[in-house]
C-alpha cells in the first residue's frame, strides 16, 4: 500500500521491483496476501492520521504488516497506536524493507519465471512515469520536516537518471514527470559532475538534465521547481518545444512577512516579474503552485496581499491548504498568534473561489484552439485526456467526445469546444 506524494510512489516502485525480481507477487487484496507493506506519509497531521488508519486496516485485515516511509522516521507514533507491527523502517530504506520481507516471508526464487521488465515495476499507467532525480532537501522552511525525515539533498548521477529515462521511453512511456524535493537544486551536492550520455558529456545540473531529457521522444514535465535565477534558462527549452511549457513551483504565499516567517527563499515582487518575463518568452506556459493559508501570525492584510498577488500572477493551476502544525517543525516555536480553524477554512474557501475564476477565464481563452493531448482512459466513446497544461492526478482534463478509435496512451490532436472552471471539452481532430 503506497500513500503520500509521487516521490513516495517511486519509492514503492523501487521496493516492488526488487521484490518481484526475487519471486514475490503483488496480491490484489489483504486476504490474498501473506504480508502487507505500508509506505506511509508523515508530512502533516492529516497525512499521519491517514497512515495510522491504513496501518490499522492492514493489521485488522491481514495481521502481518511492515511499515516504511516518512512516518517510519517517527516509530514511536506508530508503536503507540499499533505495537503489533512486525517492522518499521524510515524513508528510502529500500534494503531494510526487502530484508524485513525476507525475515518474515522468505523468498522462493524461480529464475526462469520471475522476469521483470527493464524499466522495473511501475504503479502508474503504462504511458506515463515519475522520474525521481534526487532525495532530500537543503531548505529549512519553518513549516516542513522533510529534511529531518529524508535528509539533505542527495542527487542521483546524471548518467543513471538519463539511462532510466531512456528505458522508460523504450518501454512505451509517453510522458516523464521529473520529481524531487527541490528539482532546480539538482546536482549541487555532486558539484555538477559530468558523465557521458549518447557520446556527449552531460553535467548534473538542472538545465543540462532538462535539455538532455528533451532529446527523448516523450513529454517532459518539470515538478517541484524552486524559482532560482537559473530556472529562467529552462524557459528557452520550453520555447523550443523540448520540454513541456509547464512549471510546478511551490510559492506558498505572497506576503513578504509570512514568507520570512516560513523561511521561504523568494520575494513576491520578484516572482511576479519572473512570471511576466516567462510569459513573454512562452505565452502558453502553464504555471502551477500550492499555497498555505492560516500560517501562524497571518493577518487579514497578509491574506489580502496573497489574493492581490494571485490577481496579478493569474496562475493557471493552484492548490491551497490550511496550515496544519507538524510535530518537529520550527513553526511551532514561532511567537505568533495562531489563526483560528474557522478563519483558516474561510480564507481557503475565498482563495479557491478566486483561483476557480482565474482558471475558468484562462480556459475560456482556449476554446477554438487545436492542441495535442495524451489519452489517460476511455469511458465508452469519450476519451479522458490531458494537455500539456495538465499533470496527472492534480490538474484538469480534456474530455474528447465521439473519440471512437482512440486508445489509452495515444497522442491526439483535438479542437477545444468548451470549458468549465478546471476542465476542457473537445472534438477529435486526428490521432497522432
Amino acid at each position: 500500500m503506497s500513500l503520500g506524494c509521487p516521490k513516495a510512489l517511486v519509492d514503492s516502485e523501487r521496493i516492488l521491483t526488487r521484490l518481484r525480481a526475487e519471486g514475490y507477487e503483488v496480491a490484489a487484496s489483504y486476504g490474498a496476501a501473506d504480508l502487507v507493506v505500508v509506505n506511509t506519509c508523515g508530512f502533516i497531521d492529516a497525512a499521519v492520521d491517514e497512515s495510522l488508519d491504513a496501518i490499522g486496516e492492514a493489521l485488522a485485515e491481514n495481521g502481518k504488516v511492515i511499515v516504511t516511509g516518512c512516518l517510519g522516521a517517527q516509530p514511536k507514533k506508530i508503536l503507540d497506536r499499533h505495537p503489533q507491527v512486525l517492522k518499521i523502517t524510515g524513508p528510502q530504506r529500500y534494503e531494510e524493507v526487502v530484508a524485513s520481507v525476507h525475515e518474515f516471508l522468505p523468498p522462493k526464487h524461480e529464475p526462469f519465471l520471475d522476469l521483470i521488465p527493464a524499466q522495473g515495476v511501475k504503479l502508474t499507467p503504462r504511458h506515463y512515469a515519475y522520474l525521481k532525480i534526487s532525495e532530500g532537501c537543503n531548505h529549512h522552511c519553518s513549516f516542513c520536516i522533510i529534511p529531518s525525515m529524508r535528509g539533505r539533498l542527495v542527487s542521483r548521477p546524471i548518467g543513471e537518471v538519463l539511462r532510466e529515462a531512456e528505458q522508460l521511453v523504450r518501454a512505451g512511456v509517453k510522458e516523464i514527470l521529473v520529481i524531487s524535493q527541490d528539482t532546480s537544486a539538482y546536482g549541487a551536492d555532486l558539484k555538477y559532475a559530468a558523465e557521458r550520455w549518447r557520446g556527449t558529456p552531460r553535467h548534473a545540473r538542472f538545465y543540462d538534465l532538462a535539455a538532455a531529457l528533451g532529446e527523448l521522444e516523450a513529454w517532459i514535465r518539470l515538478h517541484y521547481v524552486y524559482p532560482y535565477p537559473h530556472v529562467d534558462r529552462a524557459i528557452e527549452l520550453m520555447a523550443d518545444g523540448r520540454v513541456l511549457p509547464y512549471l510546478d513551483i511551490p510559492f506558498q504565499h505572497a506576503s513578504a512577512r509570512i514568507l520570512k516567517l516560513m523561511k521561504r527563499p523568494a520575494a513576491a515582487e520578484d516572482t511576479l516579474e519572473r512570471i511576466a518575463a516567462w510569459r513573454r518568452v512562452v505565452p502558453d506556459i502553464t504555471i502551477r503552485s500550492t499555497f498555505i493559508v492560516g500560517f501562524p501570525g497571518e493577518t487579514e492584510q497578509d491574506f489580502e496581499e496573497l489574493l492581490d498577488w494571485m490577481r496579478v500572477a493569474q496562475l493557471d493551476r493552484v492548490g491551497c491548504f490550511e496550515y496544519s502544525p507538524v510535530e518537529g517543525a520550527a513553526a511551532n516555536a514561532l511567537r505568533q498568534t495562531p489563526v483560528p480553524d474557522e478563519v483558516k477554512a474561510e480564507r481557503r474557501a475565498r482563495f479557491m473561489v478566486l483561483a476557480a475564476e482565474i482558471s475558468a477565464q484562462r480556459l475560456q481563452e482556449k476554446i477554438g484552439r487545436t492542441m495535442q493531448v495524451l489519452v489517460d482512459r476511455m469511458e465508452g466513446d469519450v476519451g479522458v485526456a490531458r494537455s500539456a497544461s495538465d499533470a496527472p492526478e492534480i490538474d484538469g482534463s480534456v474530455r474528447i467526445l465521439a473519440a471512437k478509435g482512440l486508445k489509452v496512451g495515444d497522442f491526439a490532436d483535438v479542437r477545444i469546444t468548451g470549458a468549465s472552471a478546471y476542465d476542457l471539452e473537445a472534438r477529435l481532430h486526428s490521432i497522432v
Side-chain angles (χ1 to χ4, degrees), residues 312-324:
V312 177
Q314 293 285 297
L315 299 190
D316 303 85
R317 305 293 195 192
V318 298
C320 182
F321 302 92
E322 297 172 28
Y323 173 75
S324 173

Side-chain angles (χ1 to χ4, degrees), residues 225-241:
V225 178
Y226 278 76
Y228 304 130
H230 67 261
V231 171
D232 293 353
R233 290 192 65 201
I235 307 303
E236 302 166 12
L237 300 174
M238 298 176 188
D240 293 340

Side-chain angles (χ1 to χ4, degrees), residues 324-361:
S324 173
V326 180
E327 185 177 331
N332 298 337
L334 292 174
R335 295 181 178 179
Q336 299 292 326
T337 304
V339 178
D341 288 346
E342 61 272 19
V343 176
K344 293 180 191 177
E346 185 265 344
R347 287 177 181 170
R348 180 184 182 278
R350 286 162 60 193
F351 180 93
M352 292 310 298
V353 166
L354 175 60
E357 291 172 356
I358 293 170
S359 176
Q361 179 182 340

Side-chain angles (χ1 to χ4, degrees), residues 118-313:
Q119 75 274 16
V121 176
K122 295 295 171 187
L123 298 177
T124 50
R126 185 171 181 267
H127 59 282
Y128 71 81
Y130 294 103
L131 179 67
K132 184 155 68 167
I133 63 173
S134 65
E135 299 281 4
C137 180
N138 288 346
H139 292 294
H140 297 283
C141 302
S142 63
F143 56 82
C144 182
I145 57 172
I146 292 295
S148 65
M149 290 193 295
R150 289 185 170 262
R152 291 179 62 79
L153 177 71
V154 179
S155 302
R156 297 173 62 194
I158 191 165
E160 178 183 307
V161 173
L162 293 173
R163 286 190 293 274
E164 180 182 344
E166 275 189 310
Q167 284 184 330
L168 291 171
V169 173
R170 280 199 296 267
V173 168
K174 306 288 185 68
E175 176 183 11
I176 293 175
L177 300 102
V178 180
I179 59 171
S180 68
Q181 294 300 142
D182 182 0
T183 296
S184 40
Y186 171 71
D189 58 307
L190 300 177
K191 301 188 187 307
Y192 311 112
E195 293 187 358
R196 294 186 74 82
W197 181 71
R198 293 188 171 182
T200 305
R202 315 285 178 144
H203 289 271
R205 186 180 284 114
F206 172 70
Y207 173 84
D208 300 70
L209 175 63
L213 290 171
E215 297 177 23
L216 301 173
E217 296 294 321
W219 276 4
I220 306 298
R221 193 181 298 277
L222 303 174
H223 284 277
Y224 310 111
V225 178
Y226 278 76
Y228 304 130
H230 67 261
V231 171
D232 293 353
R233 290 192 65 201
I235 307 303
E236 302 166 12
L237 300 174
M238 298 176 188
D240 293 340
R242 296 167 67 181
V243 302
L244 291 180
Y246 180 101
L247 274 181
D248 174 12
I249 300 180
F251 290 121
Q252 304 295 14
H253 214 281
S255 161
R257 194 178 71 85
I258 296 300
L259 287 170
K260 184 175 181 180
L261 288 173
M262 289 180 169
K263 296 187 177 178
R264 295 294 290 175
E269 297 82 2
D270 294 341
T271 55
L272 286 176
E273 293 173 5
R274 301 276 295 290
I275 290 169
W278 296 339
R279 284 179 172 150
R280 284 193 292 270
V281 178
V282 185
D284 287 337
I285 190 172
T286 295
I287 302 174
R288 142 168 280 283
S289 190
T290 51
F291 296 87
I292 297 172
V293 295
F295 190 78
E298 182 190 62
T299 64
E300 181 64 21
Q301 180 179 341
D302 293 319
F303 178 67
E304 287 292 344
E305 281 187 45
L306 173 58
L307 295 183
D308 289 342
W309 186 92
M310 273 289 292
R311 292 184 183 102
V312 177

